[in-house]
Amino acid sequence: GWMFYKGDRNEQDFRNVHPASSDDLEKSANYVVHLRDWCIRNNKKFYFFIAPNKHRVYGEYYRYVHKQNPDNLSMVNRFLSKTKTKGIDAIYPIDALLKEKNDGQLLYWKHDTHWNARGAYIGYMALMQKINESDNSIKKVESSFIPCSTYSVISNSACR
C-alpha cells in the first residue's frame, strides 16, 4: 500500500550501495563550498538543506528492498561527512522526521514520493531552528495541521 520511487538509483540508495564514488562526493561537496563562498563574498547568508527521501523515513514499508550496508554508508551520510570536513553544516532533518512519524500521522503521502504539508512543516522548523541560531529577527510560523493518516482526496482533502 506504499509507493516508492524506483528511478535515480533509489533502491541502491536504500540498500546503501549507491555507486557514488568518493571522487563524485568530493566534487559535489566542493560545489557546495563554492556556493557558500559566493554567498560570503556577496554578504548573503548560506544554508544548505537536504530533504530526506521517503524511503529513509518509511523504510519499513519498502518491503522488497533490503539493506546491504548500514546507514552510515548511505550516499547522503557519506556526502554529509564530506561537506562537514569542508566547514558546511548541512540541515538534514531526518531525526526530526523519524521522531515525528511516531505520532501516527503521515509526513509523506503513501501514494506519492513527496512529503505532505506536515512533513514539509517539520523540515521548515529544522531550517528555521538553524536560521535562528544566527538571526533571531526571523520569526517561525507556528501551525497545527489536520491529522493526515490516509491519502484520500475525499476524506482528507485539507491535508493535500
Side-chain angles (χ1 to χ4, degrees):
W2 285 74
M3 183 187 92
F4 292 91
Y5 186 57
K6 286 181 73 171
D8 292 337
R9 298 185 174 109
N10 271 269
E11 286 183 25
Q12 289 171 310
D13 183 55
F14 181 76
R15 288 184 179 117
N16 298 320
V17 294
H18 201 281
S21 70
S22 187
D23 222 22
D24 294 335
L25 295 172
E26 183 75 21
K27 287 177 187 174
S28 295
N30 286 338
Y31 179 71
V32 175
V33 169
H34 173 75
L35 293 173
R36 183 211 46 206
D37 292 349
W38 183 92
C39 288
I40 290 169
R41 283 191 312 273
N42 290 280
N43 297 317
K44 306 289 181 196
K45 299 269 185 183
F46 177 80
Y47 299 96
F48 184 59
F49 183 93
I50 300 175
N53 284 326
K54 180 181 177 180
H55 62 257
R56 292 281 164 210
V57 178
Y58 289 104
E60 67 272 23
Y61 298 108
Y62 211 3
R63 295 188 179 156
Y64 301 104
V65 182
H66 304 287
K67 292 189 179 194
Q68 291 176 252
N69 291 304
D71 283 340
N72 67 320
L73 296 177
S74 73
M75 185 180 68
V76 71
N77 284 330
R78 290 170 51 221
F79 180 68
L80 289 169
S81 291
K82 290 271 187 201
T83 57
K84 189 171 191 123
T85 63
K86 296 175 180 297
I88 302 292
D89 190 16
I91 303 154
Y92 181 59
I94 188 69
D95 292 334
L97 288 163
L98 290 171
K99 181 181 175 208
E100 286 292 324
K101 89 171 194 179
N102 290 328
D103 72 5
Q105 297 181 57
L106 293 181
L107 304 173
Y108 292 72
W109 294 116
K110 286 176 75 172
H111 301 106
D112 191 337
T113 59
H114 299 91
W115 49 20
N116 60 23
R118 184 172 179 77
Y121 185 72
I122 302 306
Y124 160 78
M125 291 299 285
L127 175 62
M128 292 305 295
Q129 179 180 349
K130 187 65 177 174
I131 289 171
N132 281 319
E133 287 176 8
S134 62
D135 186 353
N136 277 330
S137 68
I138 301 173
K139 301 298 177 204
K140 294 182 274 190
V141 174
E142 299 293 336
S143 184
S144 62
F145 287 96
I146 296 170
C148 298
S149 57
T150 62
Y151 183 85
S152 170
V153 174
I154 297 168
S155 66
N156 282 339
S157 60
C159 293
R160 292 186 81 210

